[in-house]
Amino acid sequence: MSTRRTRAVRLTRWGGPPMLSEVARPTPAGEEVVIEVEAAGVCRSDLHVIDAEPGRLPYRMPFTLGHEVAGRVVECGPLAVGPAVGERVAVHGPWGCGSCARCSAGAGNYCDRRAALDADRAGTGAGLGRDGGMADVMVVPSGRLLVPVGDLAAVQAAPLTDAGLTAYHAVNTVRRALGDDASVLVLGVGGLGHLAVQILRATTAAQVLAVDVRDEALSLADRCGAHFGTLLRPDTATVLRGRTGGAGMTAVLDFVGSRSSLALAVDVLRAGGELAVVGSGGGELTVRKPGALPAGTRVSLPFWGTSPELEAVVALAREGALTVEVERFPLSNALEAIGRLRSGRVRGRAVLVPD
Ligand code: FEH
Ligand code: ZN
Ligand code: ZN
């Protein structure tokens, strides 16, 4: 095992700043697996954790941030299963109880015991109350949470574990509606939306339309294969309906979740359509009959994704169907990366790499 320093970006108190600190090198016990981190993405949810008021999140202090991680297995506990030492892996970040029906199926994102785990402040997963991967090394509770990535670059693999997986799960949530005549609107073409465009193009025959408030996001949508993109304006609903012969959108993936994005979604949905609200932009939706939502609308709130879906996302990336726009930062500049994300000055996904 390398003698590389063991640094970690730690939260030590609510409302306090994250700190890059020296930490003891972990030793795996039981089923645990230690990985040397090769890349760790920085997510808007990290900002929500950093900014949380005391008591708002069921996490114990201190812990290491980072829930979007890829690396190499360097040590396994005596009961470890899964990838062996030396294998490069992506970490499935939503850690549940590990034994309920959902966790046993790889769906720790929907663990049946989440409420009990929160009551014990056991943490939601890597970097979410449990030590995560904004670090040189990281302990994963079980090899079942690791997905082999082969020769896929770590700076591509890490963002797939959260941004890519969340986008893929959102598409899967509405997939049943996506027949050959389908039109899907991707609302918000940022770290998740640009991957959703690629996933839709790679795995469906749907017409993919994109809306954002930034010209550069529409250019990114175009590069990712969107059939049409337009800025959010007062007439956007009319423009979008015009692209569907008036029928409207079979599905809307809202990666913003704001008042204006949800309002647009309601205005463009086809009867019997699907609305997946992924972004947590503070918007609200009234579900009432009769009401603004068209008859037959199904609304979902997809969260992160499952381990089998992570395997599928990694496979798409390895066959060249999925590429993440990445901006690299050395681990020693983690706080700068967090600051740049906070001020909206990151192109694509910010990813920390060891230095
Ligand atoms: C993680 C933890 C809590 C809320 C949201 C998230 C997402 O970043 C996971 O995709
Ligand atoms: Zn995240
Ligand atoms: Zn569980």
Side-chain angles (χ1 to χ4, degrees):
M1 178 142 66
S2 102
T3 55
R4 230 172 60 195
R5 291 176 298 170
T6 51
R7 300 160 297 168
V9 181
R10 307 263 292 163
L11 271 190
T12 58
R13 61 182 172 83
W14 292 114
M19 314 271 282
L20 182 63
S21 319
E22 292 286 338
V23 295
R25 192 171 189 85
T27 301
E31 279 195 49
E32 293 178 339
V33 176
V34 176
I35 67 169
E36 269 188 2
V37 176
E38 295 180 337
V42 184
C43 172
R44 284 210 163 277
S45 303
D46 293 311
L47 303 183
H48 298 156
V49 173
I50 292 165
D51 298 341
E53 296 292 320
R56 197 171 68 72
L57 294 175
Y59 304 159
R60 284 198 191 92
M61 287 291 180
F63 63 89
T64 299
L65 291 167
H67 60 271
E68 187 172 84
V69 187
R72 180 185 302 274
V73 176
V74 290
E75 195 174 354
C76 296
L79 304 176
V81 297
V85 170
E87 200 151 1
R88 301 182 63 250
V89 293
V91 179
H92 186 227
W95 300 346
C97 70
S99 57
C100 71
R102 294 289 175 76
C103 289
S104 303
N109 51 319
Y110 297 139
C111 173
D112 288 320
R113 298 195 183 106
R114 173 52 54 211
L117 291 173
D118 287 351
D120 292 344
R121 297 195 309 149
T124 308
L128 301 162
R130 305 278 295 272
D131 283 343
M134 286 190 197
D136 287 310
V137 294
M138 172 184 178
V139 179
V140 180
S142 166
R144 277 186 275 272
L145 295 164
L146 300 176
V147 171
V149 299
D151 57 359
L152 184 66
V155 290
Q156 287 291 314
L160 296 181
T161 66
D162 180 12
L165 177 56
T166 300
Y168 189 85
H169 182 56
V171 172
N172 267 354
T173 303
V174 304
R175 189 176 295 281
R176 63 185 147 195
L178 302 186
D180 289 347
D181 66 338
S183 291
V184 181
L185 172 62
V186 174
L187 260 174
V189 189
L192 280 68
H194 85 285
L195 298 175
V197 171
Q198 294 177 67
I199 292 163
L200 285 163
R201 293 304 319 276
T203 65
T204 78
Q207 177 187 207
V208 180
L209 304 99
V211 167
D212 202 290
V213 294
R214 300 160 299 156
D215 283 316
E216 64 272 23
L218 296 185
S219 304
L220 176 57
D222 181 56
R223 294 199 302 276
C224 291
H227 295 96
F228 175 75
T230 184
L231 291 174
L232 182 61
R233 292 197 182 99
D235 67 343
T236 298
T238 305
V239 171
L240 292 173
R241 279 192 173 277
R243 301 287 304 193
T244 64
M249 298 293 132
T250 315
V252 176
L253 304 178
D254 184 352
F255 290 100
V256 181
S258 67
R259 187 191 51 74
S260 56
S261 67
L262 288 171
L264 176 61
V266 171
D267 283 350
V268 299
L269 268 166
R270 184 178 180 186
E274 300 266 353
L275 169 58
V277 183
V278 185
S280 49
E284 294 184 353
L285 191 63
T286 301
V287 180
R288 190 180 59 200
K289 290 179 79 173
L293 283 166
T297 302
R298 278 186 287 222
V299 180
S300 58
L301 304 172
F303 173 65
W304 218 329
T306 68
S307 188
E309 287 175 328
L310 181 53
E311 289 170 9
V313 168
V314 167
L316 278 177
R318 293 185 69 184
E319 65 195 41
L322 194 52
T323 302
V324 188
E325 290 273 308
V326 168
E327 184 165 357
R328 286 172 173 79
F329 295 82
L331 177 61
S332 54
N333 285 4
L335 302 191
E336 181 203 340
I338 292 168
R340 289 265 302 276
L341 177 64
R342 188 184 295 280
S343 56
R345 290 180 298 119
V346 170
R347 186 184 42 73
R349 200 71 168 175
V351 179
L352 307 181
V353 293
D355 58 333

